[in-house]
Amino acid sequence: MNEALKQAQIAFESDEIPVGAVIVSKNRIIARAHNQTELLTDVTAHAELLAITAAANYLGAKYLTDCKLYVTLEPCAMCAGALYWSQISEVHFAASDPKRGFVTHNSNLLHPKTKIQSGTLGAQAESLLLKFFEKLRK
Amino acid sequence: MNEALKQAQIAFESDEIPVGAVIVSKNRIIARAHNQTELLTDVTAHAELLAITAAANYLGAKYLTDCKLYVTLEPCAMCAGALYWSQISEVHFAASDPKRGFVTHNSNLLHPKTKIQSGTLGAQAESLLLKFFEKLRK
């Protein structure tokens, strides 16, 4: 999750909503991404979607059945839907997102085989998000 | 919707699940896309996501508030989530997808301002999908 937080920090410094994600396969990071919706002018450029695409590209395979995602914020419905299709084995998120997180909508959005864990480094991830929105308001 | 069906036909001929999408702005088609999950080895390469990215690129703007999406199959949760972020004004889908369509999960996945219409050319879109899965089984 520390590596995902580093990605969130990169997003913060680029004036993007600070969310970062990494995907791990066999104890190796195979994808790192941060939110790039502003840079790419594309609402689909969330850290998770970019990480899924990068991981599939690295593996040369569509399915991420042996992979774990670490992301600093609870995935939205779009990202949860993408994670469903990827059949990823584990999703770890730091901060919760009671407004747009997938758990609020329907925690069944993920694949039934996907294990979910939350809270690790949640305070740090949330504090970075709060700092970002504070900066935005100024 | 005819143009979206043409895109679905292109997907069919490329051995992709035949789903096509177009996005219309001010009565002009600004994006055309078909499912490319096999070609790109990427579960996120659904017709709708590719169309959203292409439309935003064309407009130079993240939000598609004055746009209408025509897609041959009911969007999945991932695509509905992306359509939410895009704030698209209308979503028209041809065939329903009772298994993975967003209405099954939670029809609130779309933005509250987005109007939904379904059924136009639904039989044609469904017949192409059935033909594809029949071919796959052979």
Side-chain angles (χ1 to χ4, degrees), chain B residues 112-128:
Chain B
K113 283 185 189 159
T114 303
K115 289 179 197 142
I116 309 172
Q117 205 171 44
S118 64
T120 309
L121 299 183
Q124 286 89 324
E126 202 176 336
S127 135
L128 190 62

Side-chain angles (χ1 to χ4, degrees), chain B residues 66-77:
Chain B
D66 283 329
C67 298
K68 302 174 187 183
L69 170 80
Y70 293 85
V71 58
T72 58
L73 182 65
E74 179 185 339
C76 70

